[in-house]
Every structure is written in C-alpha cells, then in structure tokens.
Amino acid sequence: MLELFVAEDPTDPFNRYALALELAKSDKLKAKEIFDQLILSNPDYVPAYYQAALLYIELKLNDDATKIIENGIAQAKNQNNLKAANELRGLLDEME
C-alpha cells in the first residue's frame, strides 16, 4: 500500500518516509536506500534524519549516522525546530 502511495505521489516526502519506516522492520538495506534518497531529495524533511540515523546505528554505520544527525541538527535549527534539534542532539550524545 505504501509503495502505491509513493508511486502515486513521489514528491511527497511523507510517503517515502512511511515506506522506509515500514521496510526498516523487514528489509533494512532497502529502508536505508529510501532514507538516503529522501534526505538527498528533501533535505528539509527533518523527521527523516532521526529515523535514518537509528537505522544506520542498527546497521553499525556509526560514522555515517553521526553525519546524518549533524546534518539533521543543522536543518532543524534552520527551521527553528528546537525540539527536533534537541532529539537529534540526544541521539548523538547516546552514541558517544
């Protein structure tokens, strides 16, 4: 169903975000690919950074996770979204 939503409206970042979240349960590499594409094409979609970083951590890609978190913090601050910036900062702190 989520794949259909993405096909119907590939420009809606939420559709790809939801698909990546669902795939993270069963196909982590495919979920990673979708998160990567989402962040590349919609860098202002802040929710993707936290979930992508969690997946990267799970895949033991901690250096890449750190970069994603740092980019997410920058995007969140640009949008004056202090809650998201703080959540990402907390995730970064947990990694250290």
Side-chain angles (χ1 to χ4, degrees), residues 35-61:
F35 275 127
D36 290 346
Q37 292 170 355
L38 175 58
I39 289 171
L40 184 63
S41 63
N42 296 89
D44 59 336
Y45 193 72
V46 173
Y49 291 92
Y50 189 90
Q51 294 299 326
L54 286 177
L55 180 61
Y56 271 66
I57 292 166
E58 194 172 334
L59 292 170
K60 308 228 183 301
L61 301 170

Side-chain angles (χ1 to χ4, degrees), residues 57-75:
I57 292 166
E58 194 172 334
L59 292 170
K60 308 228 183 301
L61 301 170
N62 290 1
D63 290 342
D64 293 327
T66 298
K67 291 175 190 169
I68 288 172
I69 292 168
E70 290 170 348
N71 290 337
I73 290 170
Q75 283 294 333

